[in-house]
Amino acid sequence: MAAIRSKGTKPEVYFRKLLFSRGYRYRINSKQVSGHPDIYLKKYNTAVFIHGCYWHRHEKCKYAYIPKSNEDFWNRKFDANIRRDAVVQEELKAGGIKCLIIWECTVRQMKKNGEICEKCMEKVENFLNSKKLYLSI
């Protein structure tokens, strides 16, 4: 578990490169924004989180399994992560900051299939230009 990074993960870097190639400029791990989002788009007042399906418990995802050993520990840890994510989203909402969640499994699909990548990026661009406060892809 020591090899698992919290910043600069492969899905995060991939998504950042996509945004940059489309002309979006951002801050990485901005400490001024609640929850220290992976990406913060100041122009669009949007915090982007690239969530790992395993750690943040993506519902109905094959990557969000529970280890067989020490299940009580893992359930407590995962529950704490879910609660912390909910608190951060509420803080962002209260501050009027839009929240975009990109799941690891979505990034994997985007890497494999260009059509899926285009559809996801269209959703992201529509969200950035809309009044909605929350989107999970």
Side-chain angles (χ1 to χ4, degrees):
M1 293 296 168
I4 296 174
R5 296 181 294 175
S6 63
K7 297 178 185 175
T9 62
K10 287 181 182 180
E12 182 183 330
V13 170
Y14 175 79
F15 192 74
R16 284 195 328 234
K17 286 182 179 183
L18 277 176
L19 285 175
F20 192 86
S21 70
R22 291 175 177 251
Y24 293 99
R25 300 303 180 250
Y26 48 79
R27 298 279 180 237
I28 301 170
N29 304 107
S30 178
K31 290 184 170 66
Q32 287 81 23
V33 181
S34 180
H36 308 286
D38 299 319
I39 301 167
Y40 179 65
L41 298 150
K42 185 175 182 177
K43 180 178 179 180
Y44 299 95
N45 197 29
T46 303
V48 181
F49 295 94
I50 313 296
H51 278 343
C53 297
Y54 177 77
W55 293 107
H56 296 273
R57 312 313 298 162
H58 189 197
E59 289 183 29
K60 299 178 184 173
C61 180
K62 68 180 181 180
Y63 302 114
Y65 63 90
I66 297 175
K68 300 294 182 220
S69 63
N70 207 357
E71 284 187 39
D72 290 338
F73 167 79
W74 288 109
N75 283 327
R76 285 193 309 273
K77 183 160 189 64
F78 295 143
D79 288 342
N81 287 349
I82 292 168
R83 282 194 304 274
R84 184 174 52 253
D85 291 343
V87 167
V88 166
Q89 289 174 17
E90 286 300 317
E91 288 174 1
L92 292 172
K93 192 178 188 180
I97 299 172
K98 295 166 35 169
C99 182
L100 174 62
I101 307 285
I102 307 293
W103 291 99
E104 172 189 8
C105 59
T106 302
V107 174
R108 287 182 186 205
Q109 291 173 351
M110 290 169 72
K111 284 182 177 180
K112 289 180 184 174
N113 188 330
E115 290 179 24
I116 293 174
C117 183
E118 280 304 311
K119 287 180 183 176
C120 289
M121 290 310 292
E122 282 179 27
K123 286 181 184 179
V124 168
E125 289 176 345
N126 289 336
F127 173 73
L128 291 175
N129 295 313
S130 73
K131 300 284 184 192
K132 289 173 46 176
L133 286 176
Y134 178 82
L135 178 65
S136 178
I137 300 176

